[in-house]
Amino acid sequence: MNWFHEETKEMTRHLFFTGKGGVGKTSTACATAISLVDQGKKVLIVSTDPASNLQDVFEMEIPNHPIPITNVPNLYAANLDPEQAAAAYREKAVGPYRDKLPASVISDMEEQLSGACTVEIAAFDEFTNLLSNPEHVEGFDHILFDTAPTGHTLRLLQLPTAWSGFLSKSTHGASCLGPLSGLSEKKEAYAKTVEVLSDDNETTLILVTRLDMSSLTEAERASQELRAIGIQNQQLLINGVLQDHVQEDEISSAFYERQQKELANMPNELKTMKRAQLPLVSYSLTGMDHLRKWASGVDEEDKVNEELDNINIPGLGSLLDDLKEKDHGVIFTMGKGGVGKTTMASAIAVGLAEQGHTVHLTTTDPAAHLSHVIKEEEIDGRLTVSRIDPKDEVAAYRKEVLQEAAEGLDANGLAYLEEDLNSPCTEEIAFFRAFARVVDQAKGEFVVVDTAPTGHTLLLLDAAKSYHKEIARSTGDVPESVKKLLPRLRDPEETTVVLVTLAEATPVLEATRLQEDLKRAEVSPQWWIINQSFATTPTRDPILRGRGHAEIPWIDRVKNELAQNCAIVPWQTKETVGYKNLKTLLS
């Protein structure tokens, strides 16, 4: 069934699109908006995504208030900037103390409010303001939001303690949200917004995913989180499905078969959900013509015989050549979920072991694929592998924080603290402590770490170390292993940071923000890896070849503007699990 032609006919007024970065939320929301307009509806689309490319899709500048889209009657758009909103939110919280507290304390307060949760709560504040403003929303048949709030944020807003000033007195420091008491006048408006979100007759939550494990797992997690707070009206939208394949093309056949396998093995909760599929297309989803073509299921752009620009970027072996003169060090692979950082970390570890180095590889990969490395082959004991279990580490950290900070809290305070400990910062700090422990144990060898902390987390830990006795909020006692690792991370002779991305808009933009975040913490990434590139494969599939052409601008941007050093890895026909398969990536 065509999503745009059939499924949109009976849509609720509010449509919230959510999903992992890079799954196509923005293009899906925009094409849905155009389809509704073509049915005679008046539509407003609003982005609250920090990496929003709404202006690229519609090919015009879009401010933070609704404006009409050129040449599309009855379609309006607004591009709310959550980063800007978060800056204003921070200033509201910190401003009154600027002339009353030492500069070091002010700096720490600002860092406490610089995390992902602060951006999210500021984004929620922005679209609450929009929804509660009759001047902005009256007269629209549908209002579409690109990027919905998470269940974690909505649960926080429903807890009475969130509005009591508890946060400003909290001592555990894992929260990124900062004091909500400064927004006490918004409590009623927030409650009404959450009520609208939970009304099946008013709101549909659209979980956008791709057919890969990380995207499907994130969709399942989001579904469960949001159902738990009463948002039951959910639909699954599977984006980027290759409809058919060129049988004699190895790349095309492998891509198609891998997607079909993921479709068959998707989580049971997603299988039972109402769902639709959107086709993978060869062209970039920007501009009205392309969006309408996609909505109609047409792919007319055949670039099979059009030569790709020469991509003068070396493979992964160049990164290993850069490391071979060293005899020890820490290597972090970083990037958003789904870009292949676990595979890249594994390949780097295998490559170093092949050079004769002693290597320890550690990962947080829930799939535990790295266990295959040890089971299949251990190179004279030079390569060892451990897996940090995220659930175990976070549970241990939460337990420690609750034991230290829970004394004297009432039931509401304890409930808030427990919920607050579900924040992304809690996970990052727990992971980092585990990584620090592993690195501290490793002497005179390479330690390759899959999934590193952001600059925000590093600065939080550093602030806690430096100003523990001065600040009202801290991250608690910092282990010696963490204290020793922070300076090491800042030393390029000791640490190599590798950013992993795909040659697509969202992964590149998110990796760019991650690089800026790290530089705030005085950590400079030395390498970028562009992974899973179709542009570097021999495929003659018209869709996949077109995808290769669409990668070129992003490849050029990484190479020429963002990376000190850059390597590129082609899309692989075989799943790169196990020592022998990982070796094939090292050319």
Side-chain angles (χ1 to χ4, degrees):
M1 182 178 290
N2 186 296
W3 161 267
F4 299 111
H5 289 173
E6 301 298 329
E7 295 292 312
T8 56
K9 289 182 178 177
E10 302 299 325
M11 285 293 185
T12 55
R13 186 179 189 225
H14 300 111
L15 305 175
F16 283 84
F17 292 77
T18 191
K20 270 174 52 65
V23 296
K25 293 187 297 293
T26 300
S27 52
T28 300
C30 290
T32 302
I34 289 173
S35 179
L36 289 166
V37 166
D38 288 347
Q39 295 170 31
K41 306 295 180 63
K42 186 177 181 181
V43 179
L44 170 63
I45 181 169
V46 180
S47 175
T48 60
D49 188 343
S52 173
N53 58 341
L54 207 61
Q55 60 279 356
D56 298 324
V57 173
F58 288 128
E59 298 179 318
M60 59 181 287
E61 287 301 314
I62 298 173
N64 63 353
H65 56 86
I67 63 166
I69 296 299
T70 306
N71 299 325
V72 189
N74 288 326
L75 178 59
Y76 293 73
N79 204 10
L80 304 183
D81 185 344
E83 299 282 2
Q84 186 177 357
Y89 179 81
R90 282 192 293 273
E91 186 55 33
K92 184 172 183 177
V94 176
Y97 302 101
R98 287 199 183 279
D99 298 326
K100 300 175 183 177
L101 295 174
S104 61
V105 178
I106 296 298
S107 176
D108 185 69
M109 291 174 68
E110 289 175 334
E111 189 56 46
Q112 292 281 354
L113 289 162
S114 72
C117 295
T118 300
V119 175
E120 189 172 308
I121 200 70
F124 188 80
D125 185 47
E126 286 286 283
F127 78 69
T128 296
N129 292 341
L130 188 79
L131 282 178
S132 61
N133 189 333
E135 183 182 332
H136 285 161
V137 298
E138 277 184 1
F140 287 106
D141 298 302
H142 296 281
I143 303 172
L144 282 61
F145 286 98
D146 168 25
T147 302
T150 66
H152 167 61
T153 292
L154 295 177
R155 288 197 306 272
L156 281 169
L157 294 173
Q158 290 177 318
L159 286 168
T161 314
W163 306 97
S164 70
F166 166 76
L167 268 173
S168 61
K169 295 176 283 187
S170 169
T171 58
H172 71 91
S175 170
C176 301
L177 288 175
L180 278 171
S181 56
L183 294 175
S184 56
E185 73 278 5
K186 300 288 186 70
K187 183 178 179 181
E188 187 175 340
Y190 282 11
K192 287 181 180 178
T193 300
V194 173
E195 186 180 332
V196 169
L197 281 170
S198 305
D199 186 340
D200 290 355
N201 297 315
E202 281 280 332
T203 300
T204 304
L205 184 83
I206 299 162
L207 297 158
V208 185
T209 186
R210 289 188 184 270
L211 287 174
D212 63 71
M213 183 187 297
S214 62
S215 298
L216 291 165
T217 301
E218 174 66 16
E220 180 187 37
R221 184 199 62 76
S223 175
Q224 292 171 344
E225 268 199 353
L226 292 159
R227 284 190 192 282
I229 56 171
I231 301 178
Q232 304 292 335
N233 189 8
Q234 301 181 8
Q235 294 186 32
L236 184 69
L237 193 53
I238 303 171
N239 189 23
V241 180
L242 188 63
Q243 303 296 298
D244 201 355
H245 64 293
V246 179
Q247 293 187 0
E248 62 273 17
D249 188 304
E250 187 181 13
I251 304 291
S252 176
S253 296
F255 188 88
Y256 179 81
E257 289 165 9
R258 197 175 298 177
Q259 282 200 333
Q260 292 303 307
K261 180 182 176 182
E262 292 289 356
L263 188 61
N265 295 329
M266 74 166 59
N268 288 329
E269 182 165 333
L270 300 183
K271 282 184 178 179
T272 60
M273 193 178 295
K274 183 178 181 180
R275 68 178 189 261
Q277 296 184 9
L278 296 176
L280 183 71
V281 292
S282 64
Y283 46 83
S284 176
L285 289 168
T286 56
M288 295 301 138
D289 291 342
H290 282 172
L291 287 172
R292 283 205 165 98
K293 192 185 294 184
W294 187 42
S296 66
V298 173
D299 196 323
E300 297 175 346
E301 297 192 6
D302 189 346
K303 294 191 175 184
V304 169
N305 297 316
E306 187 177 321
E307 289 304 313
L308 284 159
D309 295 342
N310 183 40
I311 300 171
N312 188 26
I313 299 176
L316 199 55
S318 60
L319 189 156
L320 289 162
D321 289 341
D322 188 49
L323 295 170
K324 68 182 179 183
E325 299 303 322
K326 300 181 179 181
D327 59 2
H328 73 282
V330 183
I331 300 162
F332 283 103
T333 58
M334 304 183 68
K336 293 298 181 181
V339 297
K341 57 184 179 295
T342 300
T343 301
M344 293 300 100
S346 305
I348 291 167
V350 166
L352 289 168
E354 283 284 293
Q355 292 177 355
H357 297 292
T358 302
V359 185
H360 183 80
L361 169 64
T362 187
T363 182
T364 61
D365 179 18
H369 285 164
L370 298 186
S371 61
H372 293 288
V373 176
I374 291 299
K375 287 179 181 177
E376 289 184 7
E377 189 172 355
E378 185 174 0
I379 316 173
D380 300 327
R382 289 198 297 269
L383 176 62
T384 57
V385 178
S386 66
R387 188 173 82 90
I388 296 169
D389 189 305
K391 290 183 179 179
D392 290 349
E393 294 298 334
V394 172
Y397 180 69
R398 285 176 182 149
K399 182 179 179 180
E400 178 184 327
V401 167
L402 285 168
Q403 287 176 342
E404 291 179 359
E407 186 178 346
L409 292 177
D410 60 15
N412 278 337
L414 187 61
Y416 188 90
L417 179 55
E418 289 176 340
E419 178 57 48
D420 195 26
L421 284 166
N422 286 325
S423 78
C425 286
T426 298
E427 294 179 5
E428 279 197 6
I429 290 171
F431 289 174
F432 188 56
R433 284 156 52 109
F435 289 142
R437 188 171 63 244
V438 170
V439 172
D440 192 47
Q441 292 168 355
K443 308 295 182 185
E445 64 182 32
F446 279 103
V447 180
V448 183
V449 179
D450 163 39
T451 308
T454 65
H456 166 63
T457 298
L458 297 179
L459 285 167
L460 277 176
L461 289 163
D462 197 30
K465 177 168 70 82
S466 303
Y467 311 126
H468 182 68
K469 294 181 179 180
E470 293 181 52
I471 57 178
R473 293 170 47 83
S474 81
T475 51
D477 293 330
V478 179
E480 282 299 314
S481 58
V482 172
K483 293 179 183 178
K484 288 191 287 186
L485 184 56
L486 283 168
R488 191 173 177 181
L489 287 177
R490 289 169 172 153
D491 182 354
E493 295 299 316
E494 288 284 327
T495 300
T496 301
V497 176
V498 180
L499 295 181
V500 185
T501 187
L502 307 179
E504 299 174 7
T506 300
V508 170
L509 293 173
E510 290 184 342
T512 302
R513 286 205 308 276
L514 185 55
Q515 179 163 266
E516 293 168 352
D517 189 25
L518 286 165
K519 286 181 177 179
R520 287 193 304 121
E522 301 174 38
V523 177
S524 294
Q526 292 100 316
W527 280 86
W528 282 57
I529 299 174
I530 301 170
N531 193 25
Q532 300 177 21
S533 169
F534 288 109
T536 50
T537 70
T539 183
R540 307 310 291 180
D541 182 296
I543 304 295
L544 301 183
R545 186 72 170 174
R547 302 294 296 182
H549 281 278
E551 289 177 358
I552 298 300
W554 297 105
I555 292 172
D556 289 343
R557 185 166 178 177
V558 171
K559 177 188 174 185
N560 299 324
E561 299 177 25
L562 299 171
Q564 286 185 36
N565 302 283
C566 184
I568 195 163
V569 178
W571 194 88
Q572 303 292 307
T573 56
K574 294 180 180 179
E575 292 191 62
T576 44
V577 172
Y579 187 85
K580 292 180 181 178
N581 286 333
L582 288 165
K583 275 181 66 175
T584 64
L585 299 175
L586 300 178
S587 58

